[in-house]
Amino acid sequence: MSKNRTSPDLSRWFVPATSLFLFLAACGLPCLEVEKEGRVVWYGYSVLLRGWMAVLVGQVAWLANPLWLAGMFCFVFRRWTLSLVFALLGLLLAASSLLFYGWDGAGIPVGVDEGVVAVHQLRVGAYVWLSSLLVLFVGAAHLRRRAHRGQPV
């Protein structure tokens, strides 16, 4: 006779590991193509370090990063609902990055004395970054649902 054993859901560790992998991959990939003395490609690590300045001109997509970090922290400590909320808010803010190049040249600030640059195109890194937020959101929703059904998580 075989007993019906339910194994723990590996998504508890798979989800944050995958999300972290995607986030770090996005840091190493080209994210934005900007106009600064010709067209220049910014990589994810550069956007991560400079992106907070865009908040000063009303472009809030960068704020998805601290929300992602808070969502990851909640996820690891099994706070599925809170992780879901942080991931959803992060996704909504990150989705505003899809509007960067439609803002009539509003641009992204690059430094105190350097002014702003116009975004011409989002590159693959931007989409990988968005997918890291999406993985966290879907994973938190899945485990929250399992927990409410009384299934092991």
Side-chain angles (χ1 to χ4, degrees):
M1 278 191 207
S2 66
K3 291 185 177 182
N4 186 8
R5 292 184 180 177
T6 57
S7 61
D9 190 359
L10 293 179
S11 59
R12 177 170 176 225
W13 298 109
F14 179 76
V15 168
T18 303
S19 185
L20 179 62
F21 173 78
L22 290 169
F23 187 88
L24 293 174
C27 288
L29 292 170
C31 283
L32 297 175
E33 186 175 318
V34 298
E35 181 70 39
K36 182 182 178 186
E37 300 169 2
R39 290 202 177 177
V40 178
V41 174
W42 283 358
Y43 282 76
Y45 69 89
S46 179
V47 176
L48 181 61
L49 294 174
R50 298 178 190 196
W52 64 270
M53 289 185 283
V55 176
L56 301 175
V57 294
Q59 296 174 354
V60 294
W62 184 87
L63 293 174
N65 293 314
L67 290 172
W68 172 82
L69 188 60
M72 289 284 281
F73 184 78
C74 292
F75 194 98
V76 168
F77 288 100
R78 304 176 72 148
R79 303 290 183 228
W80 315 126
T81 303
L82 200 51
S83 180
L84 184 65
V85 168
F86 282 129
L88 177 61
L89 291 174
L91 268 174
L92 292 174
L93 290 177
S96 72
S97 67
L98 300 173
L99 305 174
F100 277 169
Y101 48 92
W103 280 28
D104 297 328
I108 297 175
V110 289
V112 177
D113 297 328
E114 298 180 49
V116 297
V117 294
V119 176
H120 285 285
Q121 181 180 8
L122 295 179
R123 291 292 196 85
V124 67
Y127 299 107
V128 172
W129 172 65
L130 284 167
S131 69
S132 74
L133 291 157
L134 185 61
V135 164
L136 180 61
F137 174 76
V138 170
H142 169 70
L143 290 178
R144 180 180 180 274
R145 187 178 52 140
R146 284 182 64 97
H148 280 274
R149 288 183 176 176
Q151 296 173 333
V153 288

